[in-house]
Amino acid sequence: MQERSSVDELAKRLRGELDRYSPDGKLPSSRSLVERFRVSPVTVSRALAQLAAEGLVVTRPGAGAFRAHPRAAAAPAGDTSWQEVALSADGSADLVPRTVDASGVTICLAAPPPGVLEFSGGYPHPSLQPERAMAAALARAGRRPGAWERPPLEGLPELREWFARGIGGGVTAAEVLIAAGGQTALATALRALAPPGAPVLVESPTYPGMLALARAAGLRPVPVPVDQDGVRPALLADAFRGSGARVFVCQPLFQNPTGAVLAPGRRAEVLRIAREAGAFVIEDDFIRRLAHTDSGPLPPPLAADDPDGVVVHVASLTKATSPSFRVSALAARGPVLERLRAIQVVDTFFVPRPLQEAALELVGSPAWPRHLRALSAELTTRRTAMTAALRLRLPELALPHVPSGGYHLWLRLPDGADESALTTAALRAGVAVIPGRPYFSAEPSAAHIRVSFAAVSGTADITEGVRRLRAACDEIL
């Protein structure tokens, strides 16, 4: 966040000085800007790139940066009010309105203002990302023979094989498709398995991005409560009978937001209930590589215990690498695999081959297991620091479950508390948290907030963020 703020500030200052130069006039060299503003060369490069994107500056390799010629005045804005009618013209025929509400997703993706600590982030801080290993992998990938050719539509065979081995249970490379990130894979699975207007069973609470995908596809999310041991089988069976749904979406490992792991005794029950209902289970195994050091042996994916093709499995590299490293996999058995493939080809053609080659280079390098061990240790340290700080400073916020994997904690507020007011007060106090309401597809059982310990720079920021959250609670609670 500090680097991004520096870029914005430098771009603002350079923007204000452009009138000093005539069109085609040369700006000071990058070296002089580094010395004058006491910033890094990367900051200067990104600030100039920002001005170039705005059409204010032209950069010429080897020559420097120059003021661009003034642009012609923009045409007057037209009247777009007709679109409101056009977009809703067929709404009366839809069983479920297909409006797209991205608010629950953008809360997790939006960068907080400068100076605000990011307890809202959904990705590890840059210091936790394997930036050098990814850069080296990308460089090696670009030199691979055929790296810039069109890849197989299903994905590179070697990468499909790597994902299949990770799933286990006899899943083969032929049953795996490479997708462009977990969100894209979930969207493909939902479209493949349920027609518009159909109900789809979801954990409650659950990932807001999945709820948004379901509603955008015209599906009707039906909540099934979870506890510390994951989804409750008896309630799942009731939901299948009562709704007639043929799809259940779940996160059996380190569930978002509760952190729950589906208990061993419930795994077979979930598969049996779905099979008897003639339904599919979409297994979102998004966070397997973010286990903590005290997690113990991880249970295998549900797909590994499913010979009958009940499970459509989604796995991703993104959470353990970078938000921009969007490589994931869909695994399925039976006729549904061809439908998944067809939808993916129509939607995206294929995942860019250089990115797939880079993924292969990364996961096959010695740096990959080292990164996973370091990430696990650091997440454990941060989780311990945050739970200790919360229990010391905010004992009124209930923490019913301390997860052994993932990057966040799920806190229940006292009865009658206003989570929206608390998140607003927290932002004023200098810490961004996520309200619990977007995680529920129906009325929530209580007010909650989700706090991330991975998106800040370290334990000092965690301690300070909890102190600021204490100030917000003193104002609201």
Side-chain angles (χ1 to χ4, degrees):
M1 298 311 303
Q2 293 177 349
E3 175 66 25
R4 180 70 259 169
S5 301
S6 299
V7 170
D8 292 339
E9 179 62 26
L10 179 57
K12 178 180 178 181
R13 296 180 70 172
L14 293 177
R15 198 181 293 114
E17 296 180 358
L18 285 178
D19 288 341
R20 301 180 185 179
Y21 307 94
S22 59
D24 281 332
K26 186 175 182 180
L27 275 63
S29 68
S30 294
R31 178 177 296 179
S32 64
L33 293 175
V34 167
E35 294 174 353
R36 176 184 168 194
F37 292 104
R38 299 182 182 277
V39 294
S40 70
V42 172
T43 298
V44 170
S45 175
R46 289 179 175 172
L48 291 174
Q50 183 171 318
L51 296 183
E54 296 170 7
L56 301 177
V57 165
V58 175
T59 57
R60 299 170 186 164
F66 302 80
R67 182 182 176 185
H69 285 269
R71 291 175 291 181
D79 180 7
T80 60
S81 57
W82 63 273
Q83 293 185 4
E84 186 173 350
V85 177
L87 291 171
S88 61
D90 61 348
S92 60
D94 288 339
L95 294 176
V96 179
R98 300 186 72 178
T99 54
V100 180
D101 180 5
S103 58
V105 182
T106 53
I107 290 175
C108 302
L109 296 178
V116 174
L117 295 174
E118 191 175 3
F119 279 8
S120 56
Y123 296 98
H125 187 268
S127 63
L128 299 180
Q129 298 172 19
E131 291 186 347
R132 290 185 179 179
M134 287 189 295
L138 195 59
R140 293 194 301 271
R143 297 191 295 269
R144 282 186 167 206
W148 297 93
E149 296 177 4
R150 184 179 66 189
L153 297 181
E154 298 84 357
L156 296 179
E158 303 93 334
L159 188 57
R160 295 162 68 198
E161 175 62 32
W162 184 83
F163 274 110
R165 288 199 309 271
I167 299 168
V171 173
T172 68
E175 296 165 331
V176 174
L177 304 172
I178 301 302
Q183 189 77 352
T184 298
L186 285 172
T188 298
L190 285 169
R191 285 181 56 197
L193 302 179
V200 56
L201 304 188
V202 300
E203 294 173 315
S204 182
T206 193
Y207 166 52
M210 188 276 298
L211 294 177
L213 284 173
R215 290 171 176 142
L219 305 177
R220 179 167 54 89
V222 177
V224 184
V226 301
D227 58 22
Q228 295 182 36
D229 292 323
V231 70
R232 298 167 61 183
L235 296 180
L236 179 64
D238 290 344
F240 272 125
R241 284 192 296 267
S243 68
R246 292 295 178 266
V247 180
F248 170 49
V249 187
C250 67
Q251 296 174 331
L253 186 65
F254 310 136
Q255 197 257 1
N256 183 8
T258 66
V261 175
L262 187 61
R266 295 186 181 185
R267 291 168 55 89
E269 276 289 281
V270 167
L271 293 178
R272 179 188 62 78
I273 290 166
R275 182 70 182 86
E276 290 179 356
F280 288 96
V281 174
I282 299 176
E283 178 185 24
D284 183 8
D285 198 25
F286 73 111
I287 207 165
R288 179 167 293 273
R289 294 171 183 85
L290 268 63
H292 300 166
T293 54
D294 56 359
S295 66
L298 298 183
L302 289 179
D305 297 331
D306 168 43
D308 300 323
V310 172
V311 177
V312 173
H313 179 86
V314 176
S316 175
L317 286 173
T318 303
K319 290 294 186 186
T321 54
S322 158
S324 292
F325 206 82
R326 307 203 63 76
V327 177
S328 65
L330 275 164
R333 286 174 165 150
V336 71
L337 181 64
E338 180 54 34
R339 182 179 293 186
L340 292 166
R341 176 184 179 277
I343 291 174
Q344 179 165 293
V345 169
V346 168
D347 282 353
T348 62
F349 287 3
F350 45 77
V351 176
R353 182 162 186 158
L355 191 57
Q356 294 191 56
E357 298 279 10
L360 271 173
E361 288 283 354
L362 178 64
V363 300
S365 71
W368 180 241
R370 289 199 301 268
H371 163 66
L372 293 182
R373 288 192 297 270
L375 180 61
S376 175
E378 180 62 19
L379 289 175
T380 306
T381 298
R382 291 170 175 233
R383 180 209 63 194
T384 302
M386 180 170 274
T387 54
L390 287 168
R391 286 167 172 162
L392 176 65
R393 288 185 172 270
L394 288 160
E396 66 269 41
L397 302 188
L399 177 58
H401 177 65
V402 177
S404 57
Y407 54 89
H408 62 263
L409 301 176
W410 181 240
L411 303 174
R412 176 170 175 159
L413 306 187
D415 291 343
D418 185 335
E419 68 183 38
S420 178
L422 178 57
T423 55
T424 301
L427 197 59
R428 287 196 300 268
V431 59
V433 300
I434 299 182
R437 184 63 185 88
Y439 291 84
F440 292 90
S441 60
E443 290 76 12
S445 56
H448 295 81
I449 59 172
R450 199 194 77 163
V451 290
S452 169
F453 46 80
V456 293
S457 63
T459 54
D461 278 354
I462 290 173
T463 301
E464 173 60 18
V466 172
R467 187 194 67 78
R468 296 180 186 185
L469 187 57
R470 171 74 270 172
C473 288
D474 288 342
E475 177 184 342
I476 298 299
L477 300 182

